[in-house]
Amino acid sequence: MKKPTERQYDQPDSEMRQRMRTMHGHYLNDLAAFTAFNPALTAAFGTQWAAALDAADQATSGTTLRGDLREDTQTVETLMDHARTQVQQLFYYVEQAFPNNAGRLDQYGKAQYPGARQKHDKMRALLSAALASATRDQAELAPHGFGPDKLAALAQVTQDLERADTDQEIRKGTNTEGSDEYVRRQNAAYAFGQQVSRAAKIVFASDAVKQRLYRLADSASS
């Protein structure tokens, strides 16, 4: 099992980001001194740092992620509507092709339908079983109106619902404070500050006031 990503700092996330924002401002003010010490510490480095901070903030606020999640939810609900309609129609065709055959209907998920009509995971399982049965019974169903076009439509909604539901579940996890992606973004923003803090100890070796501006935390040991 993959080990979860660990934070590279001990502060609360919001405090770390605010400290990095403040340090970033000081860095821009002292850019010439940093660049003279290390050619890699340029304005471009500052731009990359700002982008990393924006990504960390976005992971926290979830503005974009929640917007995408709303779209995912709407897509799933729309597909659930389509699935319910197609499954109910399929049951009708099965009853026409196999009259008085409750066992055959059960193979299509008729008994499971009441519990699946509002549950994405259960509907996905029902669709999978129904598609397999309809494919097997295509010859018997076609004369009663369930032709290749309807079979293809059933296959499409089965595939689309599975993909959309999976995307939705993945999206839910990307904005969780304990998730790897969330922590990775926080660490990325912090890593820029670590580089600048180490450099500042040398660049401003004789200026204790300046050095304090680039501390990673309030404790002297930081």
Side-chain angles (χ1 to χ4, degrees), residues 98 104 107-108 131-141 151:
F98 305 99
R104 184 61 64 105
Q107 294 175 18
Y108 284 80
L131 178 60
S133 296
T135 301
R136 179 198 63 203
D137 296 338
Q138 178 66 85
E140 290 85 354
L141 292 171
L151 181 64

Side-chain angles (χ1 to χ4, degrees), residues 82-91 113 123 126-127:
H82 293 167
R84 284 189 287 265
T85 298
Q86 289 199 35
V87 167
Q88 289 171 341
Q89 290 178 356
L90 177 59
F91 292 157
Y113 179 75
M123 179 60 79
L126 188 154
L127 283 170

Side-chain angles (χ1 to χ4, degrees), residues 1-12:
M1 182 177 180
K2 182 181 177 182
K3 184 179 180 181
T5 302
E6 296 182 358
R7 286 171 173 77
Q8 301 302 309
Y9 51 90
D10 296 327
Q11 312 156 57

Side-chain angles (χ1 to χ4, degrees), residues 126-204:
L126 188 154
L127 283 170
S128 181
L131 178 60
S133 296
T135 301
R136 179 198 63 203
D137 296 338
Q138 178 66 85
E140 290 85 354
L141 292 171
H144 296 276
F146 191 85
D149 58 331
K150 289 185 171 58
L151 181 64
L154 179 64
Q156 189 65 57
V157 75
T158 301
Q159 177 181 317
D160 290 347
L161 181 59
E162 181 173 359
R163 181 186 299 114
D165 196 31
T166 299
D167 287 348
Q168 182 186 49
E169 292 306 311
I170 292 173
R171 193 94 63 182
K172 287 177 181 178
T174 60
N175 200 38
T176 302
E177 292 203 359
S179 71
D180 278 356
E181 175 62 16
Y182 173 90
V183 176
R184 187 192 67 77
R185 292 191 187 191
Q186 309 311 304
N187 285 344
Y190 184 70
F192 283 91
Q194 286 179 305
Q195 294 183 60
V196 170
S197 180
R198 286 196 296 268
K201 292 176 181 178
I202 300 173
V203 175
F204 305 113

